[in-house]
């Protein structure tokens, strides 16, 4: 009985570590949005500085999960949760990397930043808002162990993908008319690609949660259709 209680306490501690990392990464993404849209270099430097904390969280969670497996030999749902937490922390670290990349774009002064009209056409504020919503919703999905919202979260990734594809067309037309902006335009495209990848990583976390809760693997299986069918 004591052993059972001890393993439960250890598991709760692990989940809390992941929650803390998650809150930090959401904060990094919110700050990335503010610094990018407002050209706030000081805020961007803060993001770069806090990136070390994101990396430290991943290393700690990795180590603690490995220790848990070695000490308690978890099976079934407990093993699925531990494996999911390892992958989720790794994915959160990658999202943190992209936030760091966005901050470095803001700090970089060798490029003219896009004007408000181009930003509006690219719909970048909308992309940031969708991504922050996705990351927050996925956090709630793990906390509540509710996979019914998975389809809605994955559908948001489709919206991000559509905006990304549209942004390539918008930038292409803009660069044809403004060839002096090509170097800076390519840098901007790399930034937009980072945002698109954050959406992909949020979708990967959804898959890990469904793997843990429903013991189903969604990769390479027509994710959205499958989940939405399940929700009906």
């Amino acid at each position: 009985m004591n052993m059972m209680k001890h393993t439960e306490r250890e598991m709760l501690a692990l989940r809390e570590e992941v929650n803390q990392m998650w809150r930090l990464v959401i904060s990094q993404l919110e700050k990335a949005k503010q610094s990018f849209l407002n050209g706030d270099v000081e805020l961007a430097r803060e993001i770069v500085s806090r990136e070390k904390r994101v990396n430290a969280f991943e290393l700690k969670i990795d180590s603690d999960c490995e220790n848990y497996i070695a000490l308690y030999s978890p099976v079934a749902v407990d093993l699925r949760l531990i494996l999911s937490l390892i992958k989720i922390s790794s994915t959160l670290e990658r999202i943190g990397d992209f936030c760091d990349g966005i901050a470095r774009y803001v700090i970089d002064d060798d490029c003219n930043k896009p004007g408000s009209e181009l930003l509006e056409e690219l719909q970048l504020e909308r992309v940031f808002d969708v991504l922050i919503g996705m990351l927050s919703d996925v956090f709630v999905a793990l906390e509540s162990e509710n996979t019914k919202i998975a389809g809605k979260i994955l559908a948001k990734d489709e919206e991000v993908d559509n905006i990304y594809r549209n942004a390539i067309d918008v930038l292409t037309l803009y660069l044809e008319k403004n060839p002096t902006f090509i170097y800076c335009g390519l840098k901007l495209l790399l930034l937009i690609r980072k945002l698109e990848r954050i959406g992909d990583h949020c979708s990967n976390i959804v898959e890990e949660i469904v793997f843990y809760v429903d013991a189903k693997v969604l990769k390479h299986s027509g994710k959205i259709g499958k989940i939405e069918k399940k929700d009906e």
Side-chain angles (χ1 to χ4, degrees), residues 105-114 180-188:
Y105 171 87
V106 175
I107 294 166
D108 188 359
D109 60 2
D110 73 342
C111 255
N112 295 322
K113 300 303 185 277
T180 57
F181 192 72
I182 286 176
Y183 174 71
C184 298
L186 290 174
K187 282 200 164 187
L188 180 59

Side-chain angles (χ1 to χ4, degrees), residues 5 7 22 40 61 85 96 102-103 120 132 170 187 213 216:
K5 285 181 180 174
T7 58
W22 215 313
D40 190 331
I61 290 164
L85 292 180
I102 294 163
E120 233 172 87
I132 291 165
V170 169
K187 282 200 164 187
V213 177
K216 290 177 182 175

Side-chain angles (χ1 to χ4, degrees), residues 4-166:
M4 197 63 162
K5 285 181 180 174
H6 189 60
T7 58
E8 285 171 7
R9 278 198 303 272
E10 291 288 325
M11 184 67 85
L12 282 172
L14 274 172
R15 289 188 69 148
E16 181 51 31
E17 278 184 338
V18 173
N19 289 350
Q20 286 176 18
M21 182 183 188
W22 215 313
R23 284 190 284 267
L24 174 60
V25 172
I26 290 173
S27 170
Q28 289 284 84
L29 185 53
E30 288 171 341
K31 287 176 190 294
K33 174 194 168 185
Q34 291 169 33
S35 68
F36 175 75
L37 293 177
N38 301 324
D40 190 331
V41 174
E42 284 310 306
L43 188 57
R45 288 201 178 103
E46 185 186 320
I47 294 165
V48 172
S49 168
R50 280 164 37 126
E51 167 63 10
K52 295 183 188 75
R53 286 178 58 201
V54 177
N55 295 338
F57 261 120
E58 189 207 6
L59 293 173
K60 177 80 163 54
I61 290 164
D62 253 11
S63 173
D64 289 349
C65 286
E66 287 167 11
N67 289 340
Y68 187 95
I69 291 170
L71 285 171
Y72 305 117
S73 302
V75 295
V77 69
D78 285 345
L79 180 59
R80 288 204 306 274
L81 176 55
I82 287 292
L83 294 175
S84 292
L85 292 180
I86 291 170
K87 289 183 180 178
I88 287 169
S89 71
S90 172
T91 305
L92 287 172
E93 191 274 332
R94 292 294 299 129
I95 294 173
D97 283 346
F98 289 126
C99 293
D100 178 78
I102 294 163
R104 289 179 189 277
Y105 171 87
V106 175
I107 294 166
D108 188 359
D109 60 2
D110 73 342
C111 255
N112 295 322
K113 300 303 185 277
S116 57
E117 194 177 315
L118 178 57
L119 280 181
E120 233 172 87
E121 272 195 85
L122 294 170
Q123 301 179 71
L124 294 190
E125 185 170 1
R126 173 62 186 163
V127 172
F128 272 111
D129 288 339
V130 171
L131 293 174
I132 291 165
M134 284 179 78
L135 199 51
S136 302
D137 287 347
V138 180
F139 177 76
V140 171
L142 180 60
E143 276 290 275
S144 60
E145 299 189 348
N146 175 12
T147 59
K148 289 187 176 176
I149 60 171
K152 289 174 187 172
I153 297 168
L154 293 173
K156 285 182 180 178
D157 186 35
E158 284 292 304
E159 182 182 352
V160 172
D161 290 345
N162 288 336
I163 293 174
Y164 171 66
R165 284 190 287 268
N166 181 64

